[in-house]
């Protein structure tokens, strides 16, 4: 029995070394990928296409290697967890002497187990942080790939963009841009799923753990803060994916040949793929936001956990909670970013009134009016992007305020502040909904006018 335990201890030691190597490998490979991307980004569009293509190939190679490192780490973590679980069972066994030669061997096993568990925790953290950073690099790689492909096509065509070429670009948009962006979105979902598991484990621990030391509590708070920041970055990356997809589609020169039947059919498919992606992105972003808000709530819950080696000053914690709500109230009432909803709505109404005569009498549309339609369409897109990016912050603030209010149900000043926040958030939502409704009507009018 003791020999089997020694073999298991060696397995744990080997697993710890592999995890340390994998962590180092991720750091090294991420630097290599970042370097390859930076070199390509530094090359302007006037660079020889062949040089750009070679640089892009280097990015693809480094990206493949980086993905491989993450895959290997998954395997290493799984092996280490299994070995640690087996060794932990022996160490904690009541008849541990059946598994160890003596007390000294048991002590060595505990040291080995602790080292393996620490290595697993470090690896999980490194993987989580690395995957978040990788999402950003993946998006940059896709943007550069789209740029190189467009420049390569332009060099081949010699500036000719007929119906056939536009159809090819639209098909490539669906086949490459939407597909690759969907893959990036799927990775964001995968990373979010991993964070949901970490969240569930932390929530369970908070419910079941009866006693906490200050070090344990502070460690969990730091971890929740890290997860919250990484989820905010994931949310930003998800938003940028939508911007990237829209940008690629908008740059395809459909205008001169949009009347061609083949172009119309290809454009309809491209629009459908784009809309489907945006819908999926919205669902994913909401999911990321929910998990981020939950980590913020957990952090707040941990802030008031009583520790065995420290005294909790409830009065100080109450005052801190009130200060936080006052900050949220200021944001909800005065934040310039959020007040843009009303401004965007008024601007949108002005545009609707401007295009209404043209919708009613299309014959009034001249060259000057069509140029104006293009300006309005671009302005509407910018307003939509800004409002859509800002609105999740409204939801987040309300959720965070609600979490504080739930913990201090019997404090009148906190409940009053929460109700005030709810009033302002409801106003912002009403303004946002009004803008979205007006924007939908304007989009329909612009489409009817061929903008």
């Amino acid at each position: 029995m003791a020999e089997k335990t020694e073999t298991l201890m060696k397995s744990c030691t080997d697993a710890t070394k592999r995890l340390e190597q994998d962590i180092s490998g991720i750091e090294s490979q991420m630097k290599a990928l970042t370097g390859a991307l930076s070199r390509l980004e530094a090359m302007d569009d006037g660079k020889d296409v062949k040089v750009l293509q070679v640089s892009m190939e280097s990015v693809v190679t480094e990206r493949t290697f980086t993905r491989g490192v993450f895959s290997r780490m998954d395997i290493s973590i799984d092996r280490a967890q299994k070995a640690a679980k087996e060794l932990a069972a022996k160490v904690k066994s009541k008849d541990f002497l059946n598994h160890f030669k003596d007390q000294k061997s048991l002590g060595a096993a505990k040291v080995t187990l602790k080292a393996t568990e620490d290595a697993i925790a470090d690896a999980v953290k490194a993987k989580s942080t690395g995957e978040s950073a990788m999402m950003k690099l993946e998006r940059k790689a896709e943007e550069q790939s789209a740029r190189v492909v467009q420049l390569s096509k332009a060099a081949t065509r010699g500036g000719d963009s007929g119906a056939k070429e536009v159809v090819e670009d639209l098909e490539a948009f669906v086949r490459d841009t939407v597909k690759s962006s969907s893959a990036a979105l799927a990775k964001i979902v995968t990373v979010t799923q991993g964070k949901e598991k970490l969240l569930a484990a932390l929530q369970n621990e908070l419910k079941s753990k009866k006693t906490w030391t200050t070090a344990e509590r502070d460690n969990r708070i730091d971890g929740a803060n890290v997860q919250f920041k990484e989820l905010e970055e994931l949310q930003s990356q998800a938003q940028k994916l939508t911007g990237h997809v829209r940008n690629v589609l908008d740059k395809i020169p459909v205008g001169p040949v949009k009347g061609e039947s083949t172009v119309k059919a290809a454009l309809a498919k491209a629009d459908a793929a784009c809309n489907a992606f945006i819908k999926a992105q919205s669902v994913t972003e909401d999911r990321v936001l929910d998990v981020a808000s939950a980590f913020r709530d957990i952090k707040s819950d941990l802030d008031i956990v009583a520790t065995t080696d420290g005294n909790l000053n409830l009065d100080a914690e109450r005052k801190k909670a009130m200060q936080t709500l006052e900050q949220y109230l200021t944001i909800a009432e005065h934040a310039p970013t959020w007040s843009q909803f009303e401004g965007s709505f008024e601007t949108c109404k002005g545009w609707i009134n401007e295009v209404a005569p043209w919708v009613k009498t299309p014959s009034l549309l001249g060259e000057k009016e069509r140029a104006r339609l293009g300006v309005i369409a671009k302005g509407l897109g910018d307003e939509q992007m800004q409002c859509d990016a800002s609105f999740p912050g409204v939801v987040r603030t309300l959720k965070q305020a609600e979490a504080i209010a739930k913990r201090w149900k019997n404090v009148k000043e906190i409940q009053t502040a929460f109700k005030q926040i709810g009033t302002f958030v409801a106003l912002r939502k009403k303004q946002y909904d009004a803008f979205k409704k007006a924007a939908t009507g304007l989009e329909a009018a612009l489409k009817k006018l061929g903008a």
Side-chain angles (χ1 to χ4, degrees):
M1 293 288 284
E3 292 178 357
K4 289 183 178 180
T5 303
E6 289 178 358
T7 300
L8 183 57
M9 288 172 61
K10 185 178 185 305
S11 296
C12 284
T13 301
D14 292 342
T16 298
K17 290 180 180 178
R18 278 197 297 271
L19 289 174
E20 291 171 349
Q21 292 169 356
D22 288 341
I23 292 173
S24 176
I26 283 180
E27 293 173 351
S28 176
Q29 194 53 51
M30 292 286 280
K31 287 181 181 179
L33 176 56
T34 301
L37 265 171
S38 297
R39 289 190 291 274
L40 178 56
E41 288 174 328
M43 298 179 187
D44 58 38
D45 292 353
K47 195 78 173 178
D48 186 285
V49 171
K50 291 184 178 179
V51 175
L52 289 169
Q53 290 171 337
V54 170
S55 185
M56 188 64 225
E57 288 173 3
S58 176
V59 170
V60 172
T61 298
E62 296 298 347
R63 181 171 60 180
T64 301
F65 286 156
T66 307
R67 288 171 177 171
V69 172
F70 278 107
S71 296
R72 287 195 296 276
M73 175 169 270
D74 282 334
I75 296 173
S76 296
I77 290 175
D78 184 58
R79 288 175 176 171
Q81 287 175 331
K82 289 179 180 178
K85 185 177 180 180
E86 289 184 33
L87 185 57
K90 295 182 182 299
V91 167
K92 296 175 183 178
S93 174
K94 292 181 180 180
D95 55 346
F96 63 85
L97 288 177
N98 289 335
H99 304 291
F100 301 95
K101 293 179 179 178
D102 48 37
Q103 193 71 33
K104 185 177 180 180
S105 297
L106 174 61
K110 288 182 177 179
V111 171
T112 299
L113 177 61
K114 179 67 166 57
T116 304
E117 290 175 337
D118 288 346
I120 292 171
D122 289 342
V124 170
K125 183 178 179 180
K127 182 173 179 288
S128 175
T129 302
E131 284 178 331
S132 295
M134 185 64 178
M135 293 293 101
K136 190 173 183 179
L137 295 178
E138 290 271 19
R139 181 180 58 78
K140 287 185 177 182
E142 294 304 333
E143 290 175 352
Q144 290 302 312
S145 176
R147 178 172 78 105
V148 173
V149 168
Q150 287 295 104
L151 292 173
S152 299
K153 287 182 177 179
T156 301
R157 295 170 185 165
D160 179 22
S161 293
K164 181 180 178 181
E165 287 75 15
V166 170
V167 168
E168 288 177 354
D169 284 347
L170 290 169
E171 291 175 343
F173 167 76
V174 176
R175 182 185 65 247
D176 301 330
T177 303
V178 175
K179 184 178 180 180
S180 60
S181 296
S182 296
L185 193 64
K187 289 176 183 175
I188 290 177
V189 172
T190 299
V191 174
T192 304
Q193 288 173 334
K195 295 187 180 301
E196 286 172 337
K197 292 180 180 178
L198 293 175
L199 173 65
L202 189 54
Q203 289 172 329
N204 289 334
E205 184 179 32
L206 192 59
K207 290 177 182 178
S208 60
K209 195 173 178 65
K210 302 302 181 183
T211 57
W212 293 78
T213 64
T214 300
E216 288 173 335
R217 183 194 64 183
D218 292 348
N219 178 267
R220 304 302 189 277
I221 289 175
D222 289 342
N225 280 332
V226 169
Q227 294 303 321
F228 178 78
K229 290 177 182 178
E230 289 181 359
L231 282 158
E232 279 196 320
E233 176 61 24
L234 280 180
Q235 182 190 359
S236 174
Q237 290 170 18
Q239 289 175 348
K240 288 175 181 177
L241 282 175
T242 290
H244 169 58
V245 169
R246 280 176 168 164
N247 187 48
V248 172
L249 182 57
D250 290 344
K251 284 186 176 180
I252 298 176
V254 177
V257 291
K258 62 182 178 183
E260 297 284 344
S261 59
T262 53
V263 174
K264 286 182 178 180
L267 181 58
K269 292 181 180 178
D271 281 336
C274 182
N275 291 334
F277 174 80
I278 291 172
K279 184 177 180 180
Q281 182 274 344
S282 178
V283 172
T284 298
E285 188 177 345
D286 286 345
R287 183 174 181 176
V288 172
L289 176 61
D290 286 342
V291 181
S293 298
F295 268 111
R296 173 60 66 86
D297 293 344
I298 280 285
K299 187 263 182 186
S300 298
D301 288 337
L302 287 164
D303 277 335
I304 59 173
V305 165
T307 56
T308 55
D309 54 352
N311 295 318
L312 182 67
N313 188 332
L314 286 176
D315 186 56
E317 292 299 326
R318 177 187 58 75
K319 289 180 180 179
K320 187 194 300 184
M322 188 60 206
Q323 288 174 353
T324 301
L325 281 184
E326 288 173 345
Q327 292 173 357
Y328 290 163
L329 183 58
T330 300
I331 292 172
E333 184 177 4
H334 302 295
T337 304
W338 291 2
S339 60
Q340 77 183 25
F341 300 145
E342 184 177 12
S344 295
F345 173 59
E346 293 300 326
T347 300
C348 192
K349 283 200 302 184
W351 285 333
I352 289 174
N353 293 333
E354 187 176 351
V355 303
W358 302 333
V359 174
K360 186 176 181 180
T361 312
S363 59
L364 294 176
L365 275 175
E367 185 176 339
K368 181 179 178 181
E369 287 74 20
R370 288 198 176 279
R372 177 59 182 160
L373 283 176
V375 173
I376 292 174
K378 184 181 184 305
L380 177 62
D382 291 341
E383 294 287 351
Q384 286 176 312
M385 186 173 295
Q386 290 174 5
C387 288
D388 288 345
S390 300
F391 188 67
V394 176
V395 180
R396 181 188 305 125
T397 295
L398 183 60
K399 285 188 175 182
Q400 292 168 350
E402 183 180 15
I404 293 175
K406 284 181 178 178
R407 285 192 299 278
W408 300 93
K409 294 179 181 179
N410 298 322
V411 180
K412 185 177 179 180
E413 60 179 350
I414 285 180
Q415 296 304 314
T416 300
F418 173 60
K419 288 179 181 178
Q420 290 175 327
I421 291 171
T423 299
F424 285 115
V425 167
L427 172 62
R428 297 306 184 198
K429 185 179 186 307
K430 184 177 179 180
Q431 292 170 340
Y432 175 72
D433 290 342
F435 164 69
K436 292 294 286 183
K437 184 177 180 179
T440 300
L442 180 56
E443 278 185 321
L446 291 172
K447 189 173 184 180
K448 187 174 182 180
L449 292 169

